[in-house]
Every structure is written in C-alpha cells, then in structure tokens.
Amino acid sequence: MANHKSSLKRIRQTEVRRLRNRYYAKTARNAVRNLRKVTDKAEAEAEYKRVSSMLDRIAGKHVISKNKASNLKSKLSRMINKLGA
C-alpha cells in the first residue's frame, strides 16, 4: 500500500478517471453500434454528426486514440454513403 499522501491521492484520481473513461468509451461504442443499425440515409446523416462530434471529443480527452476516432468516422461515413446507392 502507498505510504505518501500524494500517492494515495493519485490512486483515488486514477480510479475516478478510469471509471469516467470507461463510461465515455462505452457510450461511444453504443452510439456507433446504434448508428450502424440505422437504414434511413437522412436519419443516419443527422446521427453521424452527433456521433462524429462525440468521437472527436473523447479522442481529445485521450479516452481513445485520434487514429481510432478517425478510422471509425471514415467507416461510418462510407456506410452512410452506401445507404443512398
């Protein structure tokens, strides 16, 4: 067990951040999953805007990497473009 006050505080902070990051990551995964289920192009485009913003936000907070956010957005936009075809 940690002996220093600063170590104990760091342990508390790390736990809070871990749970918060887990929540954000899970929420984003669910949003992406729900967007993939949408079959209407207009509805998908509106939802894509919200999901894209969410992915950028959590990538900025280092919950997921910027490359992962970019790859997800790319795949989602390709999926949406295929809906119109």
Side-chain angles (χ1 to χ4, degrees):
M1 189 63 198
N3 292 319
H4 297 284
K5 274 186 141 181
S6 60
S7 299
L8 295 171
K9 180 179 179 180
R10 184 58 72 187
I11 290 167
R12 289 194 309 267
Q13 287 176 331
T14 303
E15 180 64 12
V16 168
R17 287 185 184 132
R18 183 184 71 84
L19 293 173
R20 187 180 303 133
N21 288 344
R22 197 169 141 204
Y23 167 77
Y24 285 136
K26 184 66 175 174
T27 304
R29 275 198 306 273
N30 287 336
V32 168
R33 190 177 300 126
N34 291 336
L35 176 56
R36 285 189 174 131
K37 290 179 184 175
V38 175
T39 55
D40 179 44
K41 184 167 184 166
E43 186 182 336
E45 286 174 342
E47 188 69 16
Y48 174 76
K49 192 172 181 182
R50 191 180 69 79
V51 171
S52 175
S53 171
M54 178 189 295
L55 291 172
D56 285 336
R57 201 164 45 247
I58 66 172
K61 293 178 182 178
H62 303 290
V63 175
I64 62 174
S65 74
K66 291 187 179 196
N67 283 346
K68 180 168 178 74
S70 183
N71 287 337
L72 283 170
K73 290 186 335 185
S74 172
K75 287 175 184 173
L76 290 171
S77 78
R78 284 173 47 206
M79 181 214 64
I80 291 170
N81 286 336
K82 286 182 183 176
L83 287 178

